[in-house]
Every structure is written in C-alpha cells, then in structure tokens.
Amino acid sequence: MKTAVPCYYHLDVEVSPERVGQVRRILAAHLRFWDLEDLVEPVCGGAEMLLKAIDEHARDKHTSIEMWWTGQHLITAVAENNQDLRPDQDLRSCLARIAATSDGWGCCASETGSKVIWFSQRARAGVRVPLVPKAPEPSLSEGLQTPRELPMAALASPAADPQPRRLLEEAR
C-alpha cells in the first residue's frame, strides 16, 4: 500500500448564508483532490452545520477553517472569534449532530479567547489504496501453432526450396 502524504488546507472566511455553500464546494474540491471522495459528505456536512450555526448566533462572522489529512484521519477545525458565543448553549444541537456523524470531536479555547470546534473522520477501507494493474489477457479465442513446432528437417532444407515457406504459412 502506498504511504499517504499528509495534507493541510486553511481558509479564512466571513460567514454569510451565500458563503456557506461556496465554502462547502471549496472543501469538497480539496477532498476530491486528496482522493478522499468518501469523506466529502460527512466533512462538508459537519462544516456546513457549524458555519450556519455561527452565522445564526455569532456577532463576529470571521471564521477560519482548517483540514488536516494524516493518512488515516481527516481532522476539520472551525475557529470563530466571537467571545460571547457559547457552544454548550448556542451550538448544542449542531454539536450533537456532529458527535453522531463523526469519529471524534471536541471544542477548545484559544489564547485569544476564540473557540475552535473540531471533528475527525477516519478513512474507511479502500480509501487512498492504489489500483493494481491487471495482466493483459489474450484476445484470440484459439491459439496458433508456432513455427518451432515444425520438424527441424523442414526448417533446415535449402533456401531455394519453397516448401519451408509453405509450411510456415500453413502454420499461421
């Protein structure tokens, strides 16, 4: 199996209703570029829920979104700068849905007073596994005789004799 190359993506955005759909498409494009098609729906759905909740409850709409691919897990983090937004009250239903659809999640405060909500998705079997080329198969339904199957005496006759050429043509 090919070793996975760690990937990272960062996006700063001012959240608004029309930007939520744009951010979803941007994140989906990066996941497809990283060959993580199976993670598009759960990751983009979780990020979209968080962005909609921030748009609804927060006064400061500036957010940062980060994605890390470790080779086995994709970690998505959404940081918001609103110190008045309380995840345990304002984002309770959103966090419950993220907890139900992700492999792990959490919330932590940064040094500046902003909050970071993160969730992870484990890559399922078959994700990022290189394809193995198949050996070519013969396309003829019946085999042909090769010239080596002719008796050596027929091949050793003089070059002026047309019989070896005839024997080779019959063998084809």
Side-chain angles (χ1 to χ4, degrees):
M1 185 170 159
K2 185 171 85 173
T3 58
V5 176
C7 300
Y8 173 79
Y9 179 69
H10 177 96
L11 176 67
D12 289 322
V13 64
E14 288 286 327
V15 178
S16 64
E18 61 274 356
R19 292 288 289 169
V20 172
Q22 291 173 347
V23 170
R24 181 184 176 100
R25 289 188 297 275
I26 291 169
L27 297 179
H30 278 278
L31 292 173
R32 288 185 185 104
F33 180 71
W34 294 344
D35 294 328
L36 297 171
E37 181 76 30
D38 294 344
L39 299 180
V40 168
E41 190 54 40
V43 169
C44 293
E48 184 176 27
M49 284 189 286
L50 284 172
L51 291 175
K52 285 181 178 180
I54 290 170
D55 182 46
E56 182 180 338
H57 297 290
R59 279 186 268 138
D60 183 4
K61 307 289 186 185
H62 181 72
T63 61
S64 295
I65 303 166
E66 295 176 291
M67 290 191 308
W68 295 273
W69 167 243
T70 66
Q72 294 180 346
H73 292 86
L74 181 79
I75 302 165
T76 306
V78 178
E80 51 82 21
N81 294 324
N82 194 343
Q83 296 178 4
D84 298 332
L85 185 65
R86 299 203 41 190
D88 60 335
Q89 294 174 356
D90 301 325
L91 302 177
R92 182 180 298 254
S93 64
C94 178
L95 293 178
R97 285 182 283 179
I98 286 176
T101 60
S102 64
D103 294 321
W105 70 280
C107 181
C108 59
S110 69
E111 295 174 358
T112 61
S114 64
K115 287 165 281 310
V116 178
I117 300 169
W118 61 269
F119 59 94
S120 68
Q121 295 287 332
R122 184 171 19 104
R124 304 295 186 246
V127 175
R128 304 269 301 196
V129 175
L131 296 175
V132 178
K134 295 172 68 176
E137 297 179 13
S139 59
L140 296 175
S141 60
E142 60 184 57
L144 300 176
Q145 293 180 346
T146 60
R148 299 280 180 225
E149 293 178 2
L150 296 175
M152 286 300 288
L155 293 175
S157 59
D161 187 14
Q163 187 176 353
R165 180 172 289 147
R166 184 179 47 81
L167 290 174
L168 289 175
E169 288 175 3
E170 289 175 4
R172 290 186 192 158

